[in-house]
Amino acid sequence: MTPDAPRNPERGGAASWEDLVARYAWADADEPDAYTFSVIAGKTEDEVIRAFGGDPGASRLMTFAETVEEQAAHLYEDYELLRVLTGDRHVIAIEWGYHGSIPEIARRTSADGGEFFSVHRNVNARYQVMRALDGHVDGMFDPFELEDAAWKDPEPDVPAWTEGVAFHMETLCAESFALMERTMGVAIDPGWMDMALRTVRLTSPSELFGQSEAAWLP
């Protein structure tokens, strides 16, 4: 079943679900082939950067393509860059990487009354959607596994905030971003990819978390 409109009018506006998904058709195009978008409420840019493992005092301006090029030059190193901007009282974090897909990052970023939502796609076309509230992960799943969820035994467990959303193979990314907008009330602008945004280098997860497996578990 697909909803006719976002469940929270104050957060999602009056657009139909179909219109919302169509707005994000760019996300299912061939490029970029990997990214993590995170939207955070209740935090400043500096707080988000620290939670992700970066130094707010060591930022510079870079486009998404520039971060991809620089990271590709360090392909066999733990070399990750994070771009951030603030819009509509939310911080948006953009990566050609995966820090925003790690549950411990979601917990740290949403601690003390914050809210976190991320959409991740990697180079192997694997997906993840995650939400955290006040330091606790409130759901994490791979939308790739949900297209035929009703026919699987056992049926995959999905969080309550996905109610009414049907995922389809050809529009997985668009539907994930539409769900992000419906949940967080922030429209993701593809123009941010070409903008020079505040950018920091991130500490590698191995340094942030050591050998702890708990950091990767919801």
Side-chain angles (χ1 to χ4, degrees):
M1 183 173 110
T2 311
D4 292 329
R7 291 186 168 274
N8 187 335
E10 293 180 0
R11 290 191 135 190
S16 71
W17 176 254
E18 290 77 13
D19 289 341
L20 205 55
V21 172
R23 181 187 304 168
Y24 292 108
W26 58 268
D28 288 293
D30 291 337
E31 296 293 342
D33 58 0
Y35 48 73
T36 306
F37 277 76
S38 304
V39 174
I40 302 98
K43 302 293 178 179
T44 66
E45 286 185 11
D46 284 2
E47 289 172 327
V48 169
I49 288 171
R50 291 191 191 96
F52 269 72
D55 177 3
S59 64
R60 50 196 165 123
L61 297 178
M62 298 182 73
T63 66
F64 186 82
E66 288 170 339
T67 64
V68 171
E69 182 178 1
E70 184 165 315
Q71 288 178 226
H74 300 270
L75 195 57
Y76 300 104
E77 306 171 35
D78 281 325
Y79 196 96
E80 302 278 350
L81 297 170
L82 176 75
R83 303 167 65 237
V84 297
L85 75 154
T86 301
D88 194 24
R89 295 172 295 180
H90 293 74
V91 176
I92 296 91
I94 305 171
E95 307 169 74
W96 189 61
Y98 62 93
H99 277 63
S101 70
I102 302 172
E104 183 60 22
I105 295 290
R107 284 188 282 267
R108 294 182 180 188
T109 311
S110 66
D112 300 319
E115 184 175 3
F116 174 98
F117 196 110
S118 68
V119 171
H120 169 73
R121 174 184 174 179
N122 69 22
V123 293
N124 298 314
R126 299 302 297 178
Y127 307 87
Q128 181 183 285
V129 174
M130 178 170 57
R131 184 191 187 200
L133 295 168
D134 196 23
H136 301 279
V137 173
D138 187 40
M140 183 176 84
F141 65 94
D142 180 351
F144 180 87
E145 298 176 350
L146 299 185
E147 183 177 26
D148 299 317
W151 306 101
K152 294 181 179 179
D153 186 19
E155 188 172 337
D157 186 28
V158 294
W161 42 268
T162 68
E163 182 182 353
V165 177
F167 288 93
H168 305 88
M169 196 67 64
E170 67 278 6
T171 50
L172 287 177
C173 294
E175 287 155 350
S176 297
F177 279 109
L179 180 59
M180 173 184 271
E181 179 174 342
R182 189 182 82 170
T183 305
M184 300 297 291
V186 176
I188 302 301
D189 184 350
W192 293 336
M193 305 295 270
D194 298 322
M195 291 174 58
L197 303 179
R198 186 183 183 190
T199 305
V200 297
R201 183 178 174 183
L202 299 178
T203 303
S204 69
S206 60
E207 291 184 52
L208 283 174
F209 313 129
Q211 300 300 314
S212 171
E213 295 183 4
W216 304 86
L217 299 175

